[in-house]
Amino acid sequence: MKIKVIVPATTANLGPGFNVFGAALSLYNEFEVEYVPDVKKTHFTLNGFGKKSLPKGDKNLFWQSMQKIFKVLGEDKYNLKNLNIIINAGIPLSGGLGSSASAIVGGIFLANALCGNKLNKTQVVDLAVKIEGHPDNVIPAIYGGICIYSKDGNSGTVVQLPVPKLKIVLCVPAFELRTKQSRRILPKCVDFQNLIFNMSRVAFLTASFCCSDFSLLKMGTQDKVHQPYRCKMIPAMDEVLEAALYAGAYGACLSGSGPTLAAFCNAKDAVNVQKSMIKRWKKDNIYADAYVLNFDAKGTVII
Ligand code: HSE
């Protein structure tokens, strides 16, 4: 039995929607597992991002996620000795593009498929949110498109906004910023005026996608809850966001907890936005890669 799962990259928060908004992107990690009952040797193959740096075996996040699902389902016949695992990673690591979420989601989907899909979608979503600790990457990775998620008691609700024909430029600087580090810098309390600011921006962000009025994205991607703190750890962050807007982007923000920056624009402006962001970071001697992506509308796919 051979099963393959394709999971998209994601950008979380979209500026003001901290831990609530996320979008799936057209950049993918592929996870392939083959069940080989008689084999006595572990096969764990990594290709692409993390080929040399990611752990194989018990410390691998994808494998840990699979193991958690086997435990939930009471399946103990699967282990690394009889599974041939291949990971083709197209999503850069630790950059704010949801590579950890993709490993968690990939692991849950594959383990569930190996066990005969005993978990329904609600259970898959609940487990993904629980394992990741926050919903805004795993939800769009599972559903695709632009997602809003919140919990009411024990159950969570997912709302999908219309997927626009915009490009998203993701500019990934050549330094790492761990989510933990980027979370530690956030304050425990939010100032009341900043809360009002963010509520208005979230309303504009939602209206922009629902009404296809992308002129609202400039205000709709602004944030005063997390970005002002994180910009202290990301040199020239505000200037790179400004460069994207100046080059024609409708809106620009930190991607997840960073350090990747995201800009939303029309196809005709995408290359200019991409070049401008790279150029502005280069002025501060920071090398950056940039991807021009579409929104992914499918979410996680099993083949
Ligand atoms: N919403 C979370 C944060 C996770 O900003 O820290 C982003 O990946």
Side-chain angles (χ1 to χ4, degrees), residues 12-13 18-19 132 134 136-137 179 183 186 226 230 256-257:
N13 301 330
F18 186 84
N19 271 13
E132 172 81 326
H134 50 85
D136 44 351
N137 290 111
T179 307
R183 284 220 150 195
L186 300 181
H226 66 109
R230 289 172 163 169
S257 56

Side-chain angles (χ1 to χ4, degrees), residues 10-302:
T10 46
T11 180
N13 301 330
L14 306 188
F18 186 84
N19 271 13
V20 175
F21 277 73
L25 306 167
S26 60
L27 192 67
Y28 302 91
N29 279 350
E30 292 181 2
F31 305 92
E32 195 175 314
V33 170
E34 186 175 16
Y35 178 49
V36 202
D38 302 331
V39 166
K40 293 272 180 292
K41 201 168 170 274
T42 302
H43 286 279
F44 213 104
T45 312
L46 301 175
N47 299 311
F49 289 105
K51 182 180 163 66
K52 293 197 177 132
S53 59
L54 283 180
K56 296 176 178 180
D58 282 343
K59 289 205 169 134
N60 184 280
L61 187 58
F62 165 76
W63 175 240
Q64 287 174 349
S65 168
M66 285 190 83
Q67 281 177 307
K68 282 181 183 152
I69 302 310
F70 293 146
K71 204 170 166 195
V72 168
L73 295 176
E75 279 283 356
D76 55 8
K77 72 174 178 183
Y78 298 112
N79 59 56
L80 268 179
K81 289 194 183 73
N82 53 33
L83 290 179
N84 188 12
I85 294 179
I86 302 169
I87 300 178
N88 297 317
I91 307 175
L93 307 171
S94 294
L97 288 170
S99 65
S100 305
S102 103
I104 290 167
V105 169
I108 296 174
F109 271 73
L110 261 172
N112 192 32
L114 276 173
C115 300
N117 289 310
K118 288 181 189 145
L119 299 172
N120 63 32
K121 197 159 183 180
T122 309
Q123 291 169 313
V124 165
V125 165
D126 287 348
L127 283 163
V129 173
K130 196 172 163 198
I131 296 172
E132 172 81 326
H134 50 85
D136 44 351
N137 290 111
V138 290
I139 297 296
I142 293 171
Y143 283 85
I146 303 170
C147 298
I148 305 171
Y149 177 87
S150 193
K151 276 202 134 182
D152 186 16
N154 284 333
S155 64
T157 299
V158 180
V159 175
Q160 287 183 287
L161 299 183
V163 176
K165 282 206 177 77
L166 289 179
K167 297 284 178 191
I168 311 114
V169 178
L170 279 309
C171 199
V172 188
F175 61 85
E176 241 184 59
L177 180 58
R178 290 262 162 210
T179 307
K180 262 190 194 157
Q181 202 184 340
S182 190
R183 284 220 150 195
R184 219 176 287 138
I185 200 165
L186 300 181
K188 295 265 180 291
C189 299
V190 175
D191 174 85
F192 200 67
Q193 290 309 318
N194 290 345
L195 172 70
I196 294 169
F197 179 94
N198 263 51
M199 285 197 295
S200 69
R201 272 27 183 201
V202 161
F204 287 150
L205 180 67
T206 310
S208 165
F209 291 126
C210 289
C211 307
S212 296
D213 181 354
F214 306 125
S215 69
L216 294 174
L217 277 180
K218 184 174 176 195
M219 286 172 80
T221 50
Q222 289 170 343
D223 165 81
K224 285 197 179 178
V225 163
H226 66 109
Q227 292 193 179
Y229 303 95
R230 289 172 163 169
C231 82
K232 291 174 192 148
M233 299 192 299
I234 304 171
M237 178 180 125
D238 287 340
E239 290 81 354
V240 177
L241 294 178
E242 270 303 316
L245 294 176
Y246 190 74
Y250 287 115
C253 54
L254 186 63
S255 182
S257 56
T260 295
L261 300 180
F264 303 90
C265 59
N266 284 327
K268 70 173 176 49
D269 297 316
V271 171
N272 201 18
V273 169
Q274 180 188 31
K275 282 185 183 160
S276 301
M277 293 173 87
I278 291 174
K279 193 172 159 195
R280 183 57 193 82
W281 246 330
K282 205 171 169 196
K283 203 172 154 190
D284 278 48
N285 295 318
I286 294 169
Y287 174 80
D289 263 341
Y291 302 82
V292 177
L293 303 177
N294 298 310
F295 288 103
D296 165 278
K298 286 192 188 146
T300 298
V301 174
I302 302 190

